[in-house]
Amino acid sequence: MKHSPANAIQDVHYTDAHGGINPAISDSSTYTFDKAQDMADTFAGEKLDAFLYSRHSSPSTNQLCEVLAAMENTEATQVFASGMGAITSVIMQLCKADDHIVSSRTIYGGTYAFMKNFLPGFQVNTSFVDITDLASVKAAIKPETKLLYCEALSNPLLEAADLKALKKLATAHDLTFVVDNTFTPLVITPTDDGADVVVYSLTKFINGSSDTVGGAVCGSLDFINSLKDVNDGAAMLLGQTLDSMRSASVLKNLRTLPIRMSKHSENALFLAEQFEKDGLKVVYPGLKSHRSNEIMTSQINPEFGYSGLLTVDFGSIANASLIMEKMQEKNIGSLAVSLGFYRTLFSASGSSTSSEMSPEEQSEMGLTEGLVRFSIGLDFDIKRTYQMMKSCIDEVLS
Ligand SMILES: *Cc1c(COP(=O)(O)O)cnc(C)c1O
């Protein structure tokens, strides 16, 4: 039977020692060993069933890891203090001096800045490509390329990567294929289509309450163990560990991810269809008019739709700003970056989450200054929300 990510989340349940229906939260940074030899064996990596120190793992981080691994259909997971902590650790683990990365150019601004500005200081260089143009992806691969990197659904242009085709290229050139699935948890299971490593910002849909930052890396047991290695693991040595308390709260929120993703997607599709009828320049991968609609449709788990992100180009930053301010005034949502909150969030990507890119780079990839990215909320009455949005938009544009 095909792997169901929602069933996988449901089927891993923890209780506490007293029959409590939630797991106990571990409140310790260090752990007692009965025998001195056990401690020595644990540090030598020969004994794997003991906790040594919470920067490595804790009972609470392990529970969140197990559920995320079940969801992504991977052998193991490690959780991090942020999405950037997860992404930078994966890259530092896989790439050493003189290695090379081929990455999509439409990626999260922080990831882009890390590859473009930070990694060259360690002699790791990146070629940024249009990930939807397979010929240019292939042409960018060099003998020293180690890693192929993309987002399953890109930020902020919402282009879908053809994961199966990219995996073929990665296999042919012996590259590790890393996919950031932050925009499409449950919607896409990247390992179904060949991703070797899946990275997440838990901050967004997965936690869903915009009250913490967190990240995760899902992959083979060997790779996750290499990240946690006390001698040369990036997770262990760079120290970007998620706290036990937060791991427990993220796990509780993860329980409702399936119903949240379905609702985010349903609401976003409704608004996208209305905006399209209104003649607005709306981009949503669930619309037939979207250039990645076919690929998206072939890759999604359909019960979760096309996710909750859409963009509308309001023509100028002046119009975009006015519309966003009006929508906030009317209490439709918040003028804020980030995504995956119960409430609609909107921001002008060019001057916020993608401001790491120069105006030239932005225009080359098709990011216009009037482009507003919406993370559509869980509004119960989305028809009312649409009417309210429409009146804000009409007031400014007419
Ligand atoms: C937010 C985000 C990140 C970074 O995650 P943090 O938790 O903010 O560190 C990485 N990738 C994508 C696609 C994101 O949206």
Side-chain angles (χ1 to χ4, degrees), residues 85-310:
I87 292 163
T88 55
S89 294
V90 166
I91 294 171
M92 297 295 266
Q93 193 69 33
L94 293 170
C95 296
K96 308 297 170 197
D98 301 325
D99 287 345
H100 174 254
I101 299 170
V102 173
S103 170
S104 167
R105 65 183 180 191
T106 53
I107 51 173
Y108 179 70
T111 311
Y112 179 79
F114 181 72
M115 290 177 180
K116 181 154 192 282
N117 306 327
F118 195 95
L119 285 177
F122 296 84
Q123 271 84 51
V124 175
N125 290 301
T126 303
S127 301
F128 295 98
V129 296
D130 176 353
I131 204 75
T132 62
D133 176 1
L134 292 170
S136 73
V137 177
K138 189 171 175 201
I141 298 172
K142 305 178 189 187
E144 59 271 26
T145 308
K146 286 283 152 52
L147 203 151
L148 178 60
Y149 187 94
C150 72
E151 295 175 4
L153 186 63
S154 80
N155 180 42
L157 299 178
L158 309 179
E159 292 164 338
D162 183 343
L163 300 178
K164 280 199 181 78
L166 291 166
K167 172 60 179 178
K168 266 196 199 142
L169 279 179
T171 305
H173 296 88
D174 203 18
L175 315 180
T176 305
F177 184 29
V178 180
V179 177
D180 181 336
N181 202 39
T182 300
F183 278 23
T184 44
L186 301 178
V187 170
I188 292 176
T189 306
T191 54
D192 281 355
D193 298 311
D196 299 306
V197 176
V198 181
V199 293
Y200 272 111
S201 168
L202 300 176
T203 314
K204 316 295 170 53
F205 286 111
I206 291 186
N207 185 56
S209 53
S210 292
D211 56 1
T212 189
V213 285
V217 177
C218 308
S220 70
L221 185 60
D222 276 353
F223 181 62
I224 299 303
N225 281 341
S226 75
L227 284 171
K228 291 160 74 177
D229 193 289
V230 293
N231 292 305
D232 59 8
M236 190 63 187
L237 300 178
L238 300 177
Q240 320 192 59
T241 315
L242 187 62
D243 181 71
S244 292
M245 298 281 186
R246 275 307 184 186
S247 297
S249 70
V250 173
L251 178 54
K252 277 181 271 192
N253 288 343
L254 178 58
R255 298 302 181 185
T256 57
L257 184 66
I259 48 176
R260 285 189 283 114
M261 285 316 294
S262 309
K263 191 66 180 169
H264 283 299
S265 294
E266 184 190 313
N267 284 352
L269 178 63
F270 177 81
L271 291 176
E273 286 174 345
Q274 298 302 316
F275 289 157
E276 188 164 63
K277 277 185 210 148
D278 294 338
L280 291 169
K281 276 202 208 161
V282 56
V283 168
Y284 182 67
L287 292 174
K288 290 274 182 298
S289 58
H290 189 274
R291 56 188 288 251
S292 300
N293 178 257
E294 222 169 289
I295 285 173
M296 248 328 248
T297 304
S298 73
Q299 287 180 167
I300 61 172
N301 298 308
E303 60 274 35
F304 300 107
Y306 293 81
S307 192
L309 279 309
L310 61 85

